[in-house]
Amino acid sequence: GPSFGRGYGMGETNRFNMDFFSGSESADQAIFSAIRVSRNRARWREQNHNLTRKFLIMVKTNVVGAKGIRLQSLAADVRGSKLIPDEMDSRLIEEAHAVFSKARNFSLDTRLNRRCFDQVGIQRVIVDGECIIHKVRGADNPFRFANQMIDAELLDHELNRRASDGSNEIRM
């Protein structure tokens, strides 16, 4: 029968665990060495695997929702030591938010409204492990602001730099 002696059985190599990583790399080192292959495999599954596509649809439906992430303004005025709800300001804020959330204002390319942008963003986080959003000030819309999603593949994953005067650290 099977032997149930004490010991460190996880340290043994067998056919079940021979592909497990057993080195002493940091999480950053492990990600750095495998990021391109991992992202490519995840993107392949996104495009070609029915269960993966179904999972992504479920996440977009349950996280972002059919109507998107909503804003409920709770604007208030301070009178003495009390907060008095300001329904008119709340309504104005919510209306401006709704107008800004339209595709013509929200995304720099004017193709994605806030809900669609959020759905693409959550999908990119799941598949790529990250979502990069460039906040564009001075955009050509009434708000002078828009969002631009940038493909993570465009990042230089080899670039590392220590912080110096006037520049931040870049570390992969």
Side-chain angles (χ1 to χ4, degrees):
S3 172
F4 294 105
R6 294 182 184 259
Y8 295 100
M10 283 301 294
E12 297 173 9
T13 301
N14 58 45
R15 67 187 180 104
F16 297 112
N17 67 11
M18 61 193 285
D19 63 342
F20 283 11
F21 175 73
S22 60
S24 58
E25 287 182 321
S26 70
D28 286 346
Q29 290 168 328
I31 291 168
F32 180 77
S33 64
I35 193 161
R36 290 201 192 283
V37 171
S38 297
R39 183 174 291 135
N40 289 339
R41 286 178 182 165
R43 286 183 174 191
W44 182 89
R45 289 183 67 86
E46 172 187 32
Q47 294 171 5
N48 299 299
H49 195 263
N50 289 336
L51 287 176
T52 302
R53 282 199 301 266
K54 178 64 175 168
F55 173 73
L56 293 169
I57 290 167
M58 289 171 58
V59 169
K60 290 187 289 188
T61 300
N62 291 303
V63 173
V64 177
K67 294 183 178 181
I69 299 168
R70 308 296 265 187
L71 171 73
Q72 180 182 7
S73 175
L74 299 174
D77 292 324
V78 178
R79 293 198 186 124
S81 61
K82 294 185 179 183
L83 285 177
I84 309 299
D86 189 328
E87 292 178 18
M88 186 171 78
D89 282 353
S90 290
R91 186 176 46 75
L92 290 172
I93 290 168
E94 290 173 7
E95 287 172 2
H97 182 266
V99 172
F100 175 66
S101 297
K102 295 189 180 304
R104 67 178 179 263
N105 298 317
F106 191 79
S107 64
L108 189 63
D109 64 8
T110 67
R111 295 186 327 188
L112 299 174
N113 63 24
R114 181 184 296 271
R115 179 184 54 83
C116 293
F117 195 93
D118 290 347
Q119 287 177 336
V120 171
I122 195 74
Q123 183 164 335
R124 297 291 25 108
V125 168
I126 292 167
V127 175
D128 296 340
E130 58 195 337
C131 176
I132 303 160
I133 299 171
H134 178 209
K135 297 178 180 183
V136 180
R137 287 162 177 69
D140 186 21
N141 66 37
F143 296 90
R144 309 295 297 152
F145 180 86
N147 296 286
Q148 178 184 27
M149 203 166 302
I150 299 180
D151 187 350
E153 275 297 308
L154 297 175
L155 287 179
D156 180 358
H157 291 94
E158 307 277 324
L159 178 63
N160 288 289
R161 178 180 70 204
R162 295 196 182 278
S164 62
D165 291 337
S167 67
N168 294 327
E169 177 183 22
I170 299 174
R171 179 172 55 106
M172 174 52 208

